[in-house]
């Protein structure tokens, strides 16, 4: 991609004028200095409106050639995923997707990229391509763990090495958070165990409603961001398969030390708590408790700090 396209993507990413209150940009929630995430449990969009899900980090967005985006996997192309926030009712709140193209066309400082008489569909394509190339091109400085795997034995210390062995072995974390992947994920959906109790009684009517409405893409995103209970149904919202109820995409663990709070609903405040929760729940899920001593948990947490 030419640098000009990336520069346009960068400019749009930072531009609060493309929102309903003129104050909310992509970077309001995806803060460049915080691994492109923020410190809120759930996203806070235009006019202070709260969504239902935790803002994921965007580093290494495409490092693994992935085909599912969002916690529930409702988009399969980055070019589509980057356009949804503009018209999401609790994110940037524009009336619809076409409003983005007309706003950008009307702003003088975009004239280097977009002519005032350019057809709206063409402008729309330019914006989506520019945002996608900007995110794809984000620089990926090697993490300490990556320096270690590339032969720098001093990049991680002895305790962190013990933690790495637990992560790959006894802790079974590597089964889903793949150490060979830049984002440390398998890009698959797994039962989460987070917040399940909240919706247990309502499941029959919730799932029935989802099947009847049969939404996808942008309209599904709008619905999920404004209905807390349905947001807990996870990949079921997309596949409509009972087996996918309450499953969520394995999140990236790259720079996980910077992305608190954790989990799809941001309900877990610290990394220590997230690790304790995962050790407990993953054992519960498979029926084989993962027995780790306090010392071993400490080692595991130390290792996560190198990712
Ligand atoms: C109000 C906060 C907020 C704003 C503003 C926002 N996002 Fe997000 N972003 C989120 C949340 C929350 C999610 C997860 C939503 C879900 O999974 O249902 C997300 C998910 C994403 C994803 C998918 C990431 C993944 O790993 O699956 C991409 C890509 C993305 N946003 C790009 C953007 C772009 C580009 C903009 C600006 C046009 C933007 N976001 C504006 C909060 C925000
Ligand atoms: C069966 C697959 C699977 C295994 C095994 C697994 N995880 Fe996870 N992990 C997930 C999924 C899915 C989530 C998101 C759950 C949610 O948000 O509801 C997650 C979330 C996390 C988070 C929070 C990340 C964030 O940004 O919100 C951390 C930290 C984490 N896991 C660490 C671990 C550790 C440590 C282990 C080993 C003890 C482990 N996981 C084992 C699938 C797995």
């Amino acid at each position: 991609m030419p640098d000009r396209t990336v520069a346009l993507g960068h400019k749009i990413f930072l531009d609060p004028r493309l929102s309903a209150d003129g104050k909310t940009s992509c970077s309001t929630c995806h803060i460049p200095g915080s691994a492109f995430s923020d410190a809120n449990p759930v996203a806070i969009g235009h006019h202070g409106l709260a969504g239902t899900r935790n803002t994921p980090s965007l580093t290494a967005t495409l490092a693994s050639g992935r085909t599912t985006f969002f916690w529930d996997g409702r988009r399969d192309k980055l070019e589509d995923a980057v356009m949804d926030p503009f018209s999401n009712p609790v994110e940037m709140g524009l009336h619809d997707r076409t409003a983005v193209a007309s706003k950008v066309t009307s702003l003088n400082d975009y004239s280097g990229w977009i002519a005032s008489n350019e057809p709206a569909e063409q402008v729309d394509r330019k914006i989506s391509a520019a945002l996608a190339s900007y995110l794809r091109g984000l620089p990926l400085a090697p993490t300490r763990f990556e320096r270690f795997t590339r032969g720098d034995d001093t990049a991680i210390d002895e305790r962190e090495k013990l933690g790495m062995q637990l992560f790959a072995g006894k802790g079974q974390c590597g089964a889903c958070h793949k150490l060979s992947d830049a984002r440390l994920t398998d890009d698959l959906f797994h039962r989460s165990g987070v917040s399940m109790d909240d919706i247990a009684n309502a499941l029959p009517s919730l799932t029935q409603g989802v099947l009847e409405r049969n939404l996808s893409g942008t309209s599904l995103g709008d619905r999920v961001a404004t209905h807390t209970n349905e947001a807990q149904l996870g990949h079921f919202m997309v596949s409509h398969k009972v087996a996918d109820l309450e499953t969520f995409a394995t999140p990236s663990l790259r720079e996980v030390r910077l992305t608190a709070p954790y989990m799809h609903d941001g309900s877990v405040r610290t990394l220590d708590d997230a690790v304790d929760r995962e050790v407990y729940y993953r054992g519960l899920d498979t029926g084989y408790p993962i027995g780790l001593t306090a010392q071993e948990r400490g080692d595991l947490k130390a290792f996560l700090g190198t990712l």
Side-chain angles (χ1 to χ4, degrees):
M1 267 301 155
D3 289 350
R4 269 175 55 75
T5 306
V6 173
L8 174 61
H10 189 195
K11 184 173 166 66
I12 296 171
F13 196 83
L14 301 177
D15 195 341
R17 296 170 300 176
L18 310 176
S19 64
D21 64 355
K23 293 181 187 155
T24 314
S25 64
C26 310
S27 59
T28 303
C29 303
H30 301 286
I31 305 169
S34 307
F36 289 81
S37 176
D38 68 13
N40 297 317
V42 294
I44 306 296
H46 73 100
H47 296 101
L49 293 171
T52 54
R53 288 193 175 151
N54 185 247
T55 304
S57 133
L58 298 181
T59 48
T61 302
L62 228 87
S64 53
R66 54 201 282 225
T67 52
T68 61
F69 296 91
F70 298 116
W71 283 101
D72 50 21
R74 63 181 177 269
R75 285 299 198 179
D76 59 6
K77 286 194 200 65
L78 184 59
E79 279 75 4
D80 290 327
V82 294
M83 295 306 281
D84 286 344
F86 289 114
S87 56
N88 186 295
V90 293
E91 291 182 352
M92 294 164 79
L94 294 184
H95 188 258
D96 56 24
R97 182 161 165 170
T98 56
V100 192
S102 51
K103 262 199 191 276
V104 170
T105 311
S106 72
L107 292 164
N108 285 335
D109 49 324
Y110 283 98
S111 60
W113 289 275
I114 286 149
S116 58
N117 59 351
E118 224 165 295
E121 303 89 81
Q122 193 175 313
V123 177
D124 180 277
R125 273 199 304 278
K126 272 193 186 171
I127 296 171
S128 115
L131 280 169
S133 353
Y134 166 63
L135 290 180
R136 282 201 180 97
L138 288 177
L140 271 191
T143 60
R144 284 204 289 132
F145 167 67
E146 283 171 338
R147 294 209 327 261
F148 173 76
T149 59
R150 291 167 197 175
D152 177 358
D153 195 53
T154 60
I156 71 178
D157 68 21
E158 291 312 312
R159 180 164 208 201
E160 292 159 349
K161 282 178 196 164
L162 290 174
M164 180 176 63
Q165 280 158 19
L166 292 166
F167 190 94
K170 196 163 146 192
Q172 299 168 30
C173 319
C176 303
H177 299 285
K178 299 249 178 254
L179 284 176
S180 56
D181 179 82
R183 290 166 47 246
L184 301 120
T185 162
D186 54 2
D187 276 323
L188 296 175
F189 301 90
H190 300 280
R191 200 145 268 270
S192 93
V194 175
S195 300
M196 292 205 324
D197 295 347
D198 299 351
I199 55 165
N201 291 333
L203 270 184
S205 62
L206 276 176
T207 51
Q208 189 58 35
V210 169
L211 297 179
E212 278 163 14
R213 278 184 297 276
N214 199 18
L215 303 177
S216 64
T218 312
S219 30
L220 178 55
D222 294 355
R223 176 101 195 159
V224 162
T226 49
H227 292 76
T228 307
N229 282 348
E230 286 177 34
Q232 303 293 358
L233 301 180
H235 189 49
F236 172 83
M237 293 298 282
V238 179
S239 72
H240 294 177
K241 291 193 186 118
V242 174
D244 293 326
L245 264 176
E246 294 158 330
T247 64
F248 290 87
T250 309
S252 170
L253 295 187
R254 198 184 178 94
E255 301 188 292
V256 68
R257 65 189 182 284
L258 305 176
T259 64
Y262 300 101
M263 305 300 172
H264 69 271
D265 59 357
S267 59
V268 176
R269 277 189 28 242
T270 65
L271 188 54
D272 276 14
D273 290 347
V275 172
D276 288 344
R277 217 200 151 281
E278 285 287 275
V279 168
Y280 170 75
Y281 182 76
R282 298 299 156 196
L284 192 72
D285 197 38
T286 52
Y288 299 99
I290 302 170
L292 296 186
T293 63
Q295 170 83 38
E296 287 173 326
R297 279 168 198 244
D299 298 346
L300 191 55
K301 287 165 191 170
F303 171 62
L304 290 188
T306 72
L307 299 176

